[in-house]
């Protein structure tokens, strides 16, 4: 293990810690809890509206009970689908409360329940209608297909939902490139569009003049408007407004390059720390690859109009990122973002510990540049197999010296089986996370690196007394 000595801090530079972030943290956690309550309340409200409109009368017979349960399953399932779309819409209110990666995690968790509810809706409706008409469920489905004009759309919608959920399974997802998975997920929009006609025409469930009709019209239109605005309109406006182009490409190490971009109004992108953007480099063969990369440095402004340059640092991790080393100056760039909570917005303590491994060091560098802390109240730990993997190490060293942060370089191979985030040599010496940051239990801890490594760091941070609201992890998986 190689480690630098902590930087000396002049005695006069140390000041009593000022708790600047507790109010900010409480507000963010409150908003996250409120969003959770509103989400689940929307499901209960949808069912309650149906009951208030006379839906409970359906439970008077056995056949009616199956039909009523089918309707409840359909209402709950459709509400969950709309929630899934909102979680993936990159709404600022959601992103600022729970973060982009956690929102997508919730999005994935709702996939199976929503599918099961929609399938249960079809099966229970077929059983209930069939019992009332003396038909078996399969014959009833055939009859509905023939007699109900838009029933085929409902069946197509179910098939599309099955395809989307199936490709979301981790075992399936990792077999395909991101672009394939993303294209399949566009089917979600088609699935919702094909479900809506059936939803409003089946049996007068949402008859004109009822509260149910107004609720579902507002829910569908509101969700569609949010998707159109935040997934399509805002990125288009940002791309046109900032007019980013590739300025130069600089080799930082084997398979690692920094891409400097020039643009305008870049002052609007400053202060984002390790938050990430989605970049599309508009060159042949590369324009259709979305790249989620954080800034590796805050924008450098040339004048008061916001003209200047910014930088991302990327590693060759696949066919798409390998093309970036060959980008030519002048290549235009489309941009979405910024997203995520890997920034000062997530702070809850005055002290801060930043831990990065491999290419995950680059967001740490940007965060170190922008997040506020008193001299002596920040620790930076860079992890790599060797010194060559400590990307931007010289810049980080300079920032630590100027800002009064303690810096450690931790290098070497991990233990057999990778149980610890530390190298084997450090484990043998009995080193732990608290060995580098003794006051970590009273600090915000930012962790960025490969998933398995990050989980090891998080586990050790929890064991050292770090609470959940103090842990901030930038995940690389999609």
């Amino acid at each position: 293990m190689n480690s630098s000595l902590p930087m000396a801090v002049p005695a006069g530079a140390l000041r009593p810690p000022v708790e600047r972030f507790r109010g900010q943290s409480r507000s963010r956690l409150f908003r996250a809890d409120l969003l959770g309550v509103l989400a689940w309340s929307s499901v209960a409200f949808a069912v309650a509206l149906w009951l208030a409109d006379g839906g409970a009368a359906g439970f008077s017979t056995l056949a009616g009970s199956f039909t009523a349960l089918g309707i409840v399953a359909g209402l709950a399932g459709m509400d969950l689908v709309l929630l899934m779309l909102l979680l993936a819409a990159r709404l600022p209110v959601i992103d600022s409360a729970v973060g982009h990666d956690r929102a997508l995690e919730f999005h994935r968790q709702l996939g199976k329940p929503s599918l099961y509810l929609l399938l249960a809706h079809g099966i229970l409706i077929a059983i209930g209608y069939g019992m009332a008409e003396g038909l078996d469920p399969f014959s009833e489905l055939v009859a509905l297909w023939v007699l109900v004009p838009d029933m085929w759309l409902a069946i197509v919608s179910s098939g599309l939902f099955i395809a989307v959920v199936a490709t979301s399974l981790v075992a399936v997802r990792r077999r395909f490139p991101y672009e394939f998975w993303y294209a399949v997920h566009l089917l979600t929009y088609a699935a919702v569009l094909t479900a809506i006609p059936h939803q409003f025409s089946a049996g007068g469930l949402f008859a004109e003049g009822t509260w149910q009709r107004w609720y579902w019209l507002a829910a569908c239109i509101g969700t569609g408007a949010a998707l159109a605005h935040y997934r399509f309109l805002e990125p288009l406006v940002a791309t046109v407004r900032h007019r980013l182009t590739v300025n130069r490409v600089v080799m930082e190490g084997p398979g690692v390059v920094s891409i400097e971009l020039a643009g305008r109004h870049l002052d609007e992108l400053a202060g984002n720390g390790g938050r990430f953007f989605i970049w599309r480099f508009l060159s042949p063969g590369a324009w259709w690859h979305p790249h989620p990369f954080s800034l590796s440095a805050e924008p450098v402004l040339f004048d008061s109009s916001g003209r200047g340059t910014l930088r991302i640092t990327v590693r060759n991790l696949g066919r798409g990122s390998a093309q970036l080393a060959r980008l030519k100056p002048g290549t235009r760039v489309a941009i979405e973002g910024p997203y995520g909570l890997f920034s000062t917005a997530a702070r809850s303590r005055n002290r801060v510990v930043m831990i990065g491994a491999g290419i995950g060091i680059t967001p740490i560098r940007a965060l170190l540049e922008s997040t506020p802390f008193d001299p002596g109240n920040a620790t930076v730990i860079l992890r790599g197999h060797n010194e060559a993997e400590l990307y931007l190490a010289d810049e980080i060293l300079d920032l630590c010296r100027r800002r009064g942060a303690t810096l450690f370089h931790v290098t070497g191979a991990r233990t057999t089986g990778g149980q610890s985030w530390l190298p084997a040599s450090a484990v043998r010496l009995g080193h732990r996370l608290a060995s580098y940051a003794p006051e970590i239990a009273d600090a915000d801890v930012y962790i960025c690196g490969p998933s398995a490594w990050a989980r090891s760091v998080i586990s050790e941070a929890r064991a050292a007394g770090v609470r959940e609201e103090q842990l901030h992890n930038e995940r690389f998986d999609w």
Side-chain angles (χ1 to χ4, degrees):
M1 178 187 69
N2 298 324
S3 64
S4 70
L5 294 175
M7 307 302 164
V9 180
L14 292 174
R15 300 191 301 273
V18 179
E19 295 296 340
R20 309 164 181 165
F21 305 109
R22 290 195 183 275
Q24 168 185 283
S25 177
R26 285 194 293 266
S27 174
R28 182 176 65 82
L29 293 175
F30 173 77
R31 285 184 281 117
D33 290 340
L34 180 61
L35 287 173
V37 170
L38 290 175
W40 293 116
S41 296
S42 71
V43 179
F45 186 69
V47 176
L49 278 178
W50 174 74
L51 292 172
D53 200 33
F59 289 99
S60 58
T61 65
L62 182 60
S65 296
F66 275 102
T67 301
L69 288 173
I71 292 173
V72 169
L75 293 173
M78 193 61 187
D79 198 275
L80 290 184
V81 168
L82 295 181
L83 288 175
M84 288 176 64
L85 292 175
L86 287 174
L87 286 168
R90 299 169 185 159
L91 272 67
V93 65
I94 296 176
D95 191 60
S96 64
V98 301
H100 180 73
D101 55 352
R102 194 175 175 201
L104 288 186
E105 181 182 338
F106 292 151
H107 168 89
R108 288 193 290 268
Q109 289 175 351
L110 291 178
K112 287 183 181 179
S114 62
L115 176 61
Y116 296 155
L117 285 167
L118 293 175
L119 292 177
H121 164 70
I123 294 170
L124 291 170
I125 288 288
I127 293 174
Y129 283 4
M131 291 178 66
E133 299 175 8
L135 298 174
D136 62 84
F138 181 77
S139 299
E140 180 62 31
L141 280 175
V142 174
L144 289 172
W145 176 281
V146 173
L147 297 175
V148 180
D150 56 16
M151 182 56 64
W152 68 274
L153 286 174
I155 294 174
V156 169
S157 176
S158 298
L160 292 174
F161 277 123
I162 291 172
V164 171
V165 173
T167 56
S168 295
L169 300 175
V170 174
V172 177
R173 213 161 23 108
R174 291 180 177 172
R175 293 179 179 270
F176 298 101
Y178 171 85
E179 291 77 18
F180 173 83
W181 172 86
Y182 181 80
V184 171
H185 265 61
L186 292 179
L187 294 176
T188 305
Y189 305 134
V192 174
L193 289 174
T194 52
I196 288 175
H198 159 73
Q199 186 179 6
F200 282 90
S201 66
L205 182 61
F206 303 142
E208 291 188 18
T210 63
W211 283 104
Q212 285 191 88
R213 186 179 185 87
W214 287 113
Y215 171 78
W216 285 103
L217 279 173
C220 292
I221 293 172
T223 301
L227 284 165
H229 181 81
Y230 291 107
R231 292 299 301 270
F232 302 104
L233 181 60
E234 274 211 349
L236 179 61
V237 170
T239 297
V240 173
R241 179 166 178 75
H242 296 296
R243 294 187 183 179
L244 291 171
T245 58
V246 174
N247 200 36
R248 59 174 180 157
V249 178
V250 179
M251 295 295 299
E252 299 287 358
V256 177
V257 297
S258 285
I259 303 172
E260 183 181 279
L261 308 168
R264 62 178 191 170
H265 302 298
L266 299 187
D267 52 317
E268 298 171 9
L269 299 180
N272 290 305
R275 299 183 77 194
F276 73 93
F277 296 80
I278 295 177
W279 313 84
R280 292 179 185 269
F281 296 91
L282 306 182
S283 62
W287 64 269
W288 57 283
H289 284 282
H291 299 281
F293 296 137
S294 303
L295 296 181
S296 59
E298 287 293 289
V300 176
L301 303 180
F302 298 155
D303 54 41
S304 60
S305 69
R307 288 191 313 112
T309 60
L310 53 80
R311 187 186 70 182
I312 58 175
T313 303
V314 303
R315 184 178 181 180
N316 179 2
L317 295 174
R319 183 178 59 184
S321 54
Q323 294 178 323
L324 302 184
R326 301 189 295 271
L327 287 172
K328 296 179 179 179
T331 300
R332 301 187 70 175
V333 184
I335 188 174
E336 302 175 40
Y339 303 123
L341 271 177
F342 202 78
S343 69
T344 300
R347 291 282 296 276
S348 65
R349 300 291 191 277
N350 190 59
R351 298 182 182 276
V352 60
V353 177
M354 294 166 270
I355 312 168
I359 201 62
I361 290 171
T362 61
I364 295 293
R365 188 254 180 247
L367 182 66
L368 172 64
E369 183 178 10
S370 63
T371 196
F373 56 82
D374 295 328
N377 277 354
T379 300
V380 180
I381 304 171
L382 307 184
R383 177 72 172 95
H385 283 89
N386 50 56
E387 291 286 339
E389 288 190 1
L390 303 182
Y391 308 115
L392 309 179
D394 290 341
E395 295 182 19
I396 292 173
L397 174 60
D398 180 61
L399 283 169
C400 286
R401 282 175 171 160
R402 287 194 283 113
R403 301 205 62 195
T406 301
L407 173 64
F408 291 99
H409 289 180
V410 182
T411 58
R414 292 180 68 184
T415 57
T416 304
Q419 294 91 345
S420 175
W421 66 279
L422 287 166
S425 57
V427 173
R428 286 194 297 269
L429 292 172
H431 289 185
R432 295 290 183 268
L433 186 53
S435 305
Y436 303 92
E439 297 177 325
I440 192 171
D442 190 36
D444 281 298
V445 183
Y446 289 81
I447 303 159
C448 192
S451 297
W453 173 87
R455 286 194 295 269
S456 178
V457 181
I458 291 170
S459 177
E460 195 165 320
R462 287 171 177 155
V466 180
R467 301 172 63 178
E468 289 301 317
E469 69 266 21
Q470 297 168 241
L471 286 169
H472 317 293
N473 173 222
E474 183 77 1
R475 279 170 278 187
F476 282 82
D477 55 343
W478 43 269

